């Protein structure tokens, strides 16, 4: 991984370690949609179990002697309801819609969306169902004795009330347009997730492009000539911020995960 120049690295480190909360805008938070939550529990449980079953089955097929450790299965299931981890990306590929007088989870052709209110709603539904029986699901996947249908029935009907509790549907009061997340956004989330686990870097906040746009009105535009790495059409301050932060994080992460390579690149 090629490190960026000193200015970019220093800026990234200052942003991560030195800037106080008063100097940055409040982190935008999204809350689940309470009226939708009860109506998406069943389908969320089913799609989550399908995702876990498919992934763990694939790991077993790729492993030597077709065997899988129980810890591997449990590690995957424990991250299944977190849409900011790759194990939970299945959540980000769903859009909550009202179809034929019912709430449905519509798959978005492999796209991954930004995690806002509907995403948080599905994550909470997953937590309230699958996460409550994650060890049971992990053990079932590890043993590999049940079919997909049997696993679905066990988790979503027998062990939880995800698909047995019925609530009359009275229409949706809120709908959110599905917004696809860019590869850069997802890469930044992965980097920030790694950085949070590093010693001396606790309590780090992740700012998305939407969050950074909030700063634009106050700080205005910048001259693209200030940073040669940016394309000419990129002029706003948050684009400069985003590029600098991305480059700096990549370089800092390389020091921890591949220090020899980073050192060699830095000497070139």
């Amino acid at each position: 991984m090629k490190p960026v120049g000193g200015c970019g690295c220093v800026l990234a480190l200052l942003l991560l370690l030195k800037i106080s909360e008063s100097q940055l805008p409040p982190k935008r938070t999204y809350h689940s949609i309470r009226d939708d939550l009860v109506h998406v529990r069943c389908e969320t449980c089913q799609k989550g179990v399908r995702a876990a079953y498919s992934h763990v089955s694939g790991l077993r097929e790729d492993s030597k002697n077709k065997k899988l450790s129980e810890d591997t299965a449990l590690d995957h299931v424990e991250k299944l309801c977190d849409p900011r981890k790759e194990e939970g990306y299945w959540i980000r590929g769903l859009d909550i819609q009202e179809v034929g007088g019912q709430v449905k989870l519509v798959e978005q052709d492999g796209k991954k969306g930004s995690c806002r209110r509907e995403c948080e709603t599905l994550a909470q539904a997953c937590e309230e169902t699958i996460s409550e029986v994650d060890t049971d699901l992990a053990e079932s996947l590890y043993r590999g004795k049940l079919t997909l249908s049997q696993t679905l029935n066990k988790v979503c009907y027998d062990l939880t009330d995800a698909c047995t509790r019925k609530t009359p549907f009275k229409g949706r009061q809120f709908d959110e347009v599905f917004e696809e997340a860019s590869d850069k956004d997802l890469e930044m989330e992965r980097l920030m997730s790694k950085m949070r686990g590093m010693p001396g870097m606790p309590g780090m906040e992740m700012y998305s492009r939407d969050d950074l746009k909030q700063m634009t009105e106050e700080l205005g535009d910048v001259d693209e000539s200030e940073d040669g790495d940016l394309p000419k059409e990129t002029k706003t301050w948050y684009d400069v911020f985003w590029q600098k932060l991305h480059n700096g994080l990549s370089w800092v992460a390389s020091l921890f995960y591949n220090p020899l390579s980073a050192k060699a690149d830095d000497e070139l």
Side-chain angles (χ1 to χ4, degrees):
M1 181 181 293
K2 184 179 180 180
V4 296
C7 179
C9 293
V10 171
L11 176 59
L13 288 173
L14 286 174
L15 289 170
L16 290 170
L17 304 175
K18 299 297 184 183
I19 295 179
S20 68
E21 291 184 1
S22 62
Q23 293 174 284
L24 293 175
K27 181 71 172 70
R28 181 181 298 181
T29 57
Y30 295 100
H31 303 286
S32 61
I33 306 168
R34 181 177 299 179
D35 291 340
D36 285 346
L37 186 58
V38 68
H39 299 293
V40 300
R41 283 164 51 93
C42 180
E43 202 170 358
T44 299
C45 180
Q46 293 176 335
K47 288 186 178 294
V49 170
R50 287 179 184 275
Y53 191 95
S54 175
H55 181 81
V56 174
S57 296
L59 291 178
R60 178 179 289 107
E61 287 298 316
D62 293 338
S63 64
K64 294 181 179 180
N65 302 321
K66 307 299 181 182
K67 292 183 178 181
L68 186 73
S69 72
E70 189 170 2
D71 287 342
T72 298
L74 181 59
D75 180 67
H76 179 80
V77 174
E78 287 180 339
K79 299 174 183 176
L80 190 65
C81 297
D82 187 346
R84 292 167 182 81
K85 296 186 181 298
E86 291 189 44
E87 291 84 352
Y89 275 1
W90 62 274
I91 293 176
R92 304 178 73 145
L94 301 171
D95 184 38
I96 303 177
Q97 297 181 13
E98 181 175 343
V99 181
Q102 293 181 322
V103 175
K104 294 291 185 181
L105 305 186
V106 180
E107 297 186 8
Q108 299 300 299
D109 299 324
K111 298 177 181 178
K112 299 179 182 66
S114 299
C115 196
R116 297 176 293 158
R117 293 198 66 187
E118 290 191 359
C119 170
E120 293 293 347
T121 302
L122 298 180
Q124 183 175 341
C126 182
E127 288 284 352
E128 293 181 357
T129 55
I130 294 176
S131 289
E132 291 295 313
V133 293
D134 55 2
T135 54
D136 296 279
L137 174 57
E139 182 180 1
S140 177
L141 295 176
Y142 160 67
R143 296 185 180 282
K145 301 298 184 182
L146 301 181
T147 64
L148 173 58
S149 296
Q150 291 172 329
T151 306
L152 285 170
N153 288 331
K154 178 179 180 179
V155 175
C156 303
Y157 289 87
D158 298 335
L159 296 179
T160 72
D161 62 355
C163 293
T164 57
R165 184 169 61 176
K166 305 296 182 181
T167 301
F169 178 61
K170 299 180 180 179
R172 300 188 70 202
Q173 303 300 315
F174 176 84
D175 183 57
E176 186 175 68
V177 177
F178 183 88
E179 181 180 281
E180 185 177 5
S182 68
D183 291 339
K184 182 180 291 185
D185 291 336
L186 296 174
E187 182 183 356
M188 180 61 71
E189 288 189 13
R190 287 193 292 269
L191 284 171
M192 291 294 288
S193 179
K194 288 182 178 180
M195 297 290 285
R196 285 196 186 100
M198 292 179 180
M201 295 187 179
M204 292 171 55
E205 284 287 0
M206 181 177 355
Y207 285 77
S208 67
R209 291 181 68 89
D210 287 341
D211 295 324
L212 298 178
K213 284 180 181 179
Q214 297 178 42
M215 305 177 188
T216 304
E217 293 183 1
E218 295 182 4
L219 298 176
D221 293 342
V222 297
D223 186 350
E224 67 268 26
S225 64
E226 294 179 2
D227 194 311
D229 293 334
L230 294 170
K232 292 183 178 180
E233 64 271 14
T234 303
K235 298 182 179 180
T236 59
W237 179 90
Y238 76 85
D239 279 323
V240 176
F241 180 98
W242 189 261
Q243 184 69 55
K244 289 286 190 180
L245 182 58
H246 176 269
N247 292 345
L249 281 174
S250 298
W251 181 79
V252 174
S254 72
L255 295 180
F256 284 86
Y257 290 93
N258 195 8
L260 295 179
S261 176
K263 181 179 180 180
D265 287 341
D266 198 31
E267 292 175 350
L268 295 178

